[in-house]
Amino acid sequence: MPDSDAAETPDDQSTDPSVADRARTVLSENGTGMLQDLLFAFAWVGLASLLYEFAFPTAPQWVLYMFMLAGIPAYFGFFISLDIARERSAR
């Protein structure tokens, strides 16, 4: 009688890509964009934190949250204007 609960062989597992393989694939396809997004996020959070701590030290906490939320339209505005500038320079 065959044992249906037998462990899978290593050959069966090799068909599924490992987490490292999937991460390598995603980074190779989107690496530059992901790096730009990460750098923008670090710069924006750093700028918002510096403004909140030093320019507006007596401001309530919600001001920091508004600075952080302002990063969403700033992100899209920056990258849309960057695309427009690239299109114009390509002409």
Side-chain angles (χ1 to χ4, degrees):
M1 180 157 134
D3 187 20
S4 62
D5 291 45
E8 294 181 3
T9 62
D11 293 335
D12 292 341
Q13 294 175 353
S14 65
T15 59
D16 291 334
S18 68
V19 173
D21 291 336
R22 285 184 283 178
R24 203 172 299 119
T25 302
V26 168
L27 285 174
S28 67
E29 293 172 356
N30 306 308
T32 304
M34 291 171 71
L35 181 62
Q36 289 173 346
D37 294 347
L38 183 65
L39 289 175
F40 184 88
F42 280 140
W44 189 265
V45 169
L47 177 68
S49 297
L50 287 173
L51 281 173
Y52 178 72
E53 291 294 324
F54 297 109
F56 307 104
T58 59
Q61 181 100 27
W62 62 265
V63 172
L64 175 64
Y65 299 143
M66 292 297 113
F67 281 147
M68 295 296 176
L69 282 174
I72 297 168
Y75 169 84
F76 287 105
F78 176 74
F79 283 107
I80 288 170
S81 67
L82 188 62
D83 288 340
I84 292 170
R86 286 181 182 158
E87 286 177 10
R88 286 186 182 169
S89 67
R91 289 187 214 177

